[in-house]
């Protein structure tokens, strides 16, 4: 550190704490709306600056040893609380922000030492310039990618890998900010630069690896959706043909599209000697576009049929049952689906394993539920596979009745 008066310490803290807050919210999203987020961050900003300056004035030596740690620990707790990301993704982003903070902080110090005779204002100016360059690069080049990377981290990157990435960042920061090293030599500068480079390259390589894995999986899911759409079209053609051969369908509910599809699937299940139990209370207008509702019902029923047939292979004498309940309550649509399944049918990350569900359709259901800000869950309840969902019915009736 280059030292200085309380006023200099105040300016440094304004730049450093402000920079950390700025960088964190460039790569993360708040759980609150923008106005509330700004207000809360300003309160924290002022409180941290005031507290650190008072501490610096009382005991510079103690502040030099513990000030930064306590200050940024407080911000870390705040950041995890306010971030929309899960806790371990938020912690990784915090580690990345602290690494970037060390870049502009140490960069400012080294600029002042080697080019301006340890001038404290050159240190502050260097920090501001480096912070501005980093923020500009993130905002213009990588902000959307980093924010989108959170989804891939949630789905692909295990917590052990996140912990390893965080440790690499913190070890790099600890080396750079080692308070016991006071020598400012070209060799020390080369060490710092190499540490920055190697730590940064490691993060970029891991980032690109999991970004590629996530994009590849998304591409595979899109292919599954295309295959599902093709199968859905074929199934609808079969249903139309069956309706033409059998005449009027059994009345299950007042929604013609749902009634037709459920009648055909129920008839198919009964032909396979699968018991069907339907409890459907649905009017002509479900509030959800028919194409979206059909996507959920047809895929859920296909998976249920598959599960029953696989259970029969495992235990031929076991009774196979499919149950379906649909309710519309105010602005919610509730669907409960259950079917006999193999005792060993399991879940991966909360979703049915492909080998237990036929491999296609689950992602179509999920994307449709998420489209309406809904919630869902899957579970194997002692050989009975249960799928539950709740969807919000759109308030825009033109949208709700489309399709």
């Amino acid at each position: 550190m280059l030292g200085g008066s309380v006023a200099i310490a105040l300016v440094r803290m304004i730049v450093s704490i402000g920079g950390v807050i700025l960088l964190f919210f460039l790569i993360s999203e708040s759980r609150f709306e923008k106005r509330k987020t700004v207000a809360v961050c300003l309160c924290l900003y002022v409180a941290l600056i005031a507290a650190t300056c008072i501490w610096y004035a009382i005991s510079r030596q103690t502040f030099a040893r513990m000030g930064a740690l306590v200050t940024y620990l407080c911000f870390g707790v705040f950041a995890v609380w306010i971030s929309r990301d899960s806790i371990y993704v938020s912690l990784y982003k915090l580690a990345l922000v602290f690494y970037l903070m060390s870049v502009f902080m140490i960069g400012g110090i080294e600029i002042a030492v080697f080019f301006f005779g340890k001038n404290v204002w050159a240190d502050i100016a260097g920090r501001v310039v480096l912070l501005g360059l980093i923020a500009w690069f993130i905002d213009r080049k990588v902000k959307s990618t980093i924010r989108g990377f959170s989804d891939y981290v949630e789905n692909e990157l295990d917590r052990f890998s996140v912990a390893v990435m965080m440790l690499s960042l913190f070890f790099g920061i600890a080396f750079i900010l080692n308070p016991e090293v006071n020598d400012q030599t070209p060799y020390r500068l080369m060490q710092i630069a190499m540490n920055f480079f190697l730590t940064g390259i490691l993060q970029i390589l891991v980032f690109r690896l999991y970004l590629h894995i996530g994009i590849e999986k998304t591409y595979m899911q899109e292919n599954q959706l295309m295959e599902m759409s093709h199968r859905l079209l074929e199934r609808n053609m079969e249903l139309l043909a069956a309706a033409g051969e059998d005449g009027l369908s059994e009345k299950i509910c007042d929604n013609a599209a749902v009634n037709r599809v459920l009648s055909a699937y129920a008839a198919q299940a009964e032909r396979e000697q699968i018991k069907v139990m339907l409890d459907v209370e649905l009017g002509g207008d479900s509030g959800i576009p028919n194409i979206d509702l059909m996507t959920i019902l047809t895929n859920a029923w296909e998976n249920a049929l598959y599960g029953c047939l696989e259970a029969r292979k495992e235990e031929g004498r076991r009774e196979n049952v499919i149950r379906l309940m649909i309710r519309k309550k105010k602005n919610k649509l509730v669907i409960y689906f259950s079917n006999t399944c193999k005792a060993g049918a399991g879940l991966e990350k909360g979703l049915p394993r492909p080998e237990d569900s036929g491999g296609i359709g689950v992602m179509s259901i999920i994307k449709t539920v998420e489209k309406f800000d809904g919630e869902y869950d899957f579970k194997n309840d002692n050989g009975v596979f249960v799928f539950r969902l709740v969807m919000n019915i759109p308030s825009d009736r033109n949208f709700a009745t489309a399709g």
Side-chain angles (χ1 to χ4, degrees), residues 159 164 238 286 315 323 358 364:
R159 298 186 182 185
V164 171
E238 293 174 3
S286 67
E315 188 178 346
R323 294 181 176 87
S364 302

Side-chain angles (χ1 to χ4, degrees), residues 68-351:
L69 176 63
V70 173
T71 300
Y72 294 115
L73 182 61
C74 291
F75 174 75
V77 174
F78 168 81
V80 170
W81 169 72
I82 201 172
S83 174
R84 290 179 58 186
D85 297 319
S86 66
I87 184 169
Y88 67 97
V89 175
S90 297
L91 289 173
Y92 169 70
K93 289 186 175 181
L94 269 173
L96 182 60
V97 167
F98 291 150
Y99 168 77
L100 296 175
M101 176 199 72
S102 66
V103 171
F104 72 74
M105 188 175 77
I106 296 300
I109 293 175
E110 299 301 332
I111 289 172
V113 168
F114 283 96
F115 300 104
F116 296 96
K118 298 186 178 181
N119 184 282
V120 292
W121 292 108
D123 168 27
I124 293 171
R127 297 186 189 197
V128 172
V129 171
L130 291 174
L131 171 62
L133 290 174
I134 294 170
W136 176 86
F137 180 78
I138 292 175
D139 185 60
R140 294 296 181 90
K141 303 296 182 181
V142 298
K143 180 171 69 174
S144 59
T145 305
I146 293 178
R147 287 185 175 182
F149 178 62
S150 299
D151 297 330
Y152 298 138
V153 170
E154 292 282 0
N155 295 324
E156 307 296 338
L157 188 60
D158 60 275
R159 298 186 182 185
F160 176 76
S161 299
V162 175
V164 171
M165 293 170 68
M166 290 170 55
L167 283 174
S168 70
L169 286 170
F170 284 128
F171 282 144
I173 294 170
F175 173 80
I176 295 166
L177 300 181
N178 186 354
E180 302 300 326
V181 178
N182 297 313
D183 295 335
Q184 300 293 336
T185 64
Y187 178 70
R188 168 66 177 166
L189 179 62
M190 184 184 70
Q191 285 183 313
I192 292 174
M194 186 58 65
N195 184 282
F196 275 136
F197 175 77
L198 293 177
T199 305
I201 285 295
L202 174 62
Q203 301 303 310
I204 291 173
L205 289 175
V206 174
F207 176 87
R208 289 180 62 87
L209 170 63
Y210 282 96
L211 188 63
H212 174 76
I213 292 173
I215 291 174
E216 184 68 21
K217 187 168 183 178
T218 300
Y219 174 75
M220 293 174 62
Q221 291 171 353
E222 293 297 331
N223 282 342
Q224 287 186 345
L225 290 177
M226 291 177 63
E227 187 173 347
M228 179 279 302
S229 298
H230 179 70
R231 190 173 71 178
L232 180 59
L233 178 59
E234 290 181 340
R235 178 65 67 185
N236 285 336
M237 293 176 66
E238 293 174 3
L239 292 174
L240 290 174
E245 294 175 1
D246 300 336
L248 295 176
S249 302
E250 174 189 357
K251 184 173 181 180
I252 298 173
C253 66
D254 293 329
N255 185 292
V258 172
N259 193 84
R260 185 165 58 248
V261 169
L262 294 184
S263 296
Y265 270 113
Q268 180 187 4
E270 290 170 359
R271 287 194 295 271
E272 296 287 351
Q273 298 181 343
I274 298 172
K275 184 178 179 181
V276 176
M277 302 174 66
L278 300 175
D279 182 11
V280 180
E281 294 182 6
L282 199 61
D285 179 12
S286 67
I288 302 294
N290 283 338
I291 186 63
D292 295 305
L293 191 54
M294 292 304 102
T295 296
I296 293 172
L297 293 177
T298 55
N299 280 286
W301 203 296
E302 292 282 351
N303 292 340
L305 287 172
Y306 181 87
C308 286
L309 295 177
E310 289 297 300
R312 179 176 296 166
K313 294 177 183 178
E314 182 179 68
E315 188 178 346
R317 295 182 179 181
R318 185 179 175 191
E319 182 183 33
N320 289 280
V321 182
I322 294 177
R323 294 181 176 87
L324 171 63
M325 184 274 287
I326 303 178
R327 291 285 189 276
K328 180 181 176 182
K329 298 180 179 180
K330 296 183 180 180
N331 65 331
K332 305 284 186 182
L333 185 68
V334 181
I335 297 178
Y336 173 94
F337 221 120
S338 70
N339 62 273
T340 307
C341 68
K342 295 189 299 184
L347 305 175
E348 290 181 356
K349 298 182 179 179
L351 302 180

Side-chain angles (χ1 to χ4, degrees), residues 5-17:
S5 64
V6 175
I8 295 297
L10 174 62
V11 176
R12 283 200 185 105
M13 295 309 299
I14 289 174
V15 174
S16 298
I17 297 176

